[in-house]
Amino acid sequence: MRKILYSLISLALLVACQDVFESPPQALLEVKVKNVDTLNTRKPKVSVYGVGRDSIWIYQVETDVFRLPLCSGDTTSYVVLLDSIADTLSIIHSNELIFESAETGFYQESKILDIEHSFNRIDDYEVTDSAVTKNWHENIQLYIHSLPADAN
């Protein structure tokens, strides 16, 4: 009888612990890529690496929309390869720690203050929404130069 009682208590504790340790929501920066040449609708092959970190966020994905995390500091930098042409993208932001619940804890929301970038493939940018929240939506549009017709 005791073994059954101990088994039931252990099982209840195991189930209770699973509920307590849910992961918190994650606020991600959403970037949309648009060609400066409006006739070009080809999606670039995107790779994104974190600067100063051993991280590959995206690797060789053909897309025009991608999401990236922002660090807890005030500047987050990436190397963005668009069809193997590298640009740097630095996001200057302020952060706020948000309490979600006792089960999930805290998560970070950010506000974009400024953006710096190199001009290899990226021509310009537009901040469409400066609030980087747990509700994922477009924050930045990157306008890129089209590749020459003979480029693969």
Side-chain angles (χ1 to χ4, degrees):
M1 185 69 174
R2 281 186 177 176
K3 288 183 180 182
I4 294 173
L5 182 61
Y6 289 137
S7 297
L8 289 174
I9 291 172
S10 298
L11 183 62
L13 289 173
L14 180 64
V15 170
C17 288
Q18 286 178 347
D19 289 339
V20 171
F21 296 109
E22 289 181 28
S23 59
Q26 192 171 17
L28 297 174
L29 173 78
E30 186 169 300
V31 180
K32 181 165 183 150
V33 179
K34 286 186 158 185
N35 285 298
V36 174
D37 175 12
T38 56
L39 298 177
N40 186 352
T41 59
R42 186 181 159 285
K43 295 178 182 178
K45 192 173 278 190
V46 177
S47 295
V48 181
Y49 303 88
V51 173
R53 298 176 283 187
D54 289 336
S55 57
I56 301 173
W57 296 110
I58 301 168
Y59 184 71
Q60 298 289 322
V61 176
E62 193 170 304
T63 184
D64 60 351
V65 177
F66 52 93
R67 294 184 181 108
L68 301 169
L70 295 175
C71 69
S72 59
D74 59 354
T75 302
T76 305
S77 297
Y78 303 100
V79 173
V80 180
L81 281 85
L82 301 163
D83 295 316
S84 299
I85 300 173
D87 274 296
T88 57
L89 182 66
S90 295
I91 315 296
I92 296 95
H93 52 88
S94 62
N95 301 316
E96 181 180 357
L97 206 54
I98 307 292
F99 179 73
E100 176 70 15
S101 68
E103 291 82 24
T104 61
F106 292 87
Y107 71 97
Q108 173 181 297
E109 287 191 349
S110 302
K111 181 176 181 180
I112 300 170
L113 303 175
D114 197 14
I115 296 176
E116 298 172 353
H117 64 89
S118 59
F119 290 91
N120 295 323
R121 183 92 194 268
I122 298 173
D123 180 54
D124 202 0
Y125 71 91
E126 177 184 356
V127 177
T128 53
D129 188 357
S130 63
V132 180
T133 65
K134 69 179 180 177
N135 300 322
W136 298 340
H137 55 281
E138 181 182 294
N139 298 105
I140 299 172
Q141 284 188 0
L142 293 180
Y143 297 98
I144 62 172
H145 297 291
S146 298
L147 289 175
D150 60 347
N152 289 329

